Amino acid sequence: MTASQPPSGATPEPAAPRTCYRHSGRETGVSCSRCERPICPDCMVEAAVGFQCPHCVAEGRRRTRRPRTVFGGGVVGRPYVTWTLLGLMAVGYLAQMATATPIGSAGASPLIRGFGMLGLGVTENGDVLGALAGEWYRLITAAFLHGGVFHLLLNGYLLYLFGTPLERWLGHGRFLALWLLGALAGSVLTALAEPHQFAVGASGAGFALLGAVFVLGRRIGADLRMVGVLLVINLVATFLVPNISWTAHIGGLAAGLVLGTVFAYVPGDRAGARARTAVHTLLTVLLAVVLAALLLLVPAITGV
């Protein structure tokens, strides 16, 4: 049997057009440099050599380890959490001024009565107020209210000064946990020691940042002389200047030292990124549980 030849002058049939494997109706002459499947212009992702399809790009990203900081956090390009907290503090202060009587006096705003930190109180009408009466939100909302513009600027400057490097060291998640638990610890100690006293401000969270940056800075060998001076000055002012909530400052500082130690030294340099994140998450949640347990024990401890 012999192979047949096309008639003289006949042309071979053209090959079927190649179409994108993700968009079957689009013809293309380009293939993915990794899997060699045809891809259209909408599916082309520029690579070191040629183009790759979205599937291969995603697969390559999954196999690439995310860069981590020395403390296990994800690398932060911009401190979005710090900026967001600063913005919320500013919004809280503007709301105070807008609702105050007379307008513009933040300390006279009803928001302080409704959202400031108070362990337990009774109104003239006999209504019971406070975190121990079920208003748990006061433990955190008080951090976004301030007694005056100087109070706001001081706490805002402390957040900007130390929040920016801390967020870059720890990553967004760990830093937010540090700030929130610092505020929470200050509120819990206030409920324990001064349950009938109103308190506002982000001082507890600010002291948590001071405590954490001191521990973390020592871990990486940073120059901490300025931090030490600020810490001493603020501690002295805490007990000498009137109308300052020492409970918020000390509670926040204690939380910052504890979490700073956890993030800096636990579970150790040899642990992998996943193991370190798991341990840090577990111990952070444990601290939150301890603070919640202390709050539940306030009536038994204080007799309120």
Side-chain angles (χ1 to χ4, degrees):
M1 195 170 189
T2 59
S4 62
Q5 300 293 330
S8 176
T11 58
E13 294 184 4
R18 300 172 74 246
T19 58
C20 175
Y21 83 94
R22 299 177 76 240
H23 303 97
S24 58
R26 300 180 185 179
E27 296 184 13
T28 181
V30 179
S31 299
C32 172
S33 60
R34 185 170 179 177
C35 68
E36 299 184 349
R37 289 181 290 185
I39 50 177
C40 67
D42 288 342
C43 297
M44 296 178 189
V45 180
E46 189 171 0
V49 178
F51 297 92
Q52 291 186 6
C53 66
H55 175 78
C56 290
V57 171
E59 184 67 22
R61 287 175 179 171
R62 280 195 294 269
R63 295 182 180 181
T64 302
R65 292 184 178 181
R66 290 183 57 194
R68 294 281 175 176
T69 70
V70 67
F71 303 113
V75 174
V76 171
R78 295 181 180 180
Y80 291 119
V81 174
T82 298
W83 295 349
T84 301
L85 292 173
L86 284 170
L88 291 174
M89 288 165 58
V91 168
Y93 187 74
L94 291 175
Q96 284 180 255
M97 291 195 296
T99 57
T101 306
I103 294 177
S105 177
S109 171
L111 292 178
I112 292 182
R113 180 182 175 184
F115 296 93
M117 179 55 207
L118 176 67
L120 193 65
V122 181
T123 66
E124 295 177 355
N125 299 327
D127 298 328
V128 181
L129 303 174
L132 300 178
E135 298 173 341
W136 307 108
Y137 53 84
R138 291 178 180 270
L139 300 167
I140 297 298
T141 56
F144 299 102
L145 305 175
H146 288 83
V149 65
F150 180 75
H151 191 202
L152 171 67
L153 291 176
L154 184 61
N155 284 330
Y157 179 69
L158 200 64
L159 172 56
Y160 175 78
L161 184 64
F162 295 111
T164 301
L166 277 171
E167 189 170 353
R168 295 188 188 279
W169 290 353
L170 298 174
H172 300 307
R174 287 172 174 82
F175 173 73
L176 181 60
L178 170 66
W179 195 91
L180 290 175
L181 287 181
L184 180 62
S187 294
V188 169
L189 186 56
T190 298
L192 279 167
E194 298 178 337
H196 304 297
Q197 183 67 42
F198 271 103
V200 293
S203 302
F207 265 77
L209 301 187
L210 274 171
V213 80
F214 188 80
V215 176
L216 296 169
R218 285 178 59 87
R219 174 68 174 76
I220 61 176
D223 185 353
L224 298 174
R225 286 175 292 183
M226 184 187 73
V227 177
V229 170
L230 282 176
L231 184 56
V232 170
I233 291 175
N234 279 278
L235 283 174
V236 171
T238 295
F239 296 100
L240 294 184
V241 178
N243 299 323
I244 287 183
S245 176
W246 67 268
T247 51
H249 290 191
I250 300 304
L253 179 61
L257 292 172
V258 170
L259 282 180
T261 301
V262 168
F263 295 153
Y265 298 103
V266 180
D269 294 336
R270 295 185 178 181
R274 290 185 178 180
R276 179 174 290 187
T277 298
V279 172
H280 288 179
T281 301
L282 177 63
L283 294 179
T284 300
V285 171
L286 179 61
L287 177 58
V289 170
V290 169
L291 292 173
L294 286 174
L295 194 65
L296 293 175
L297 292 174
V298 168
I301 296 173
T302 63
V304 296

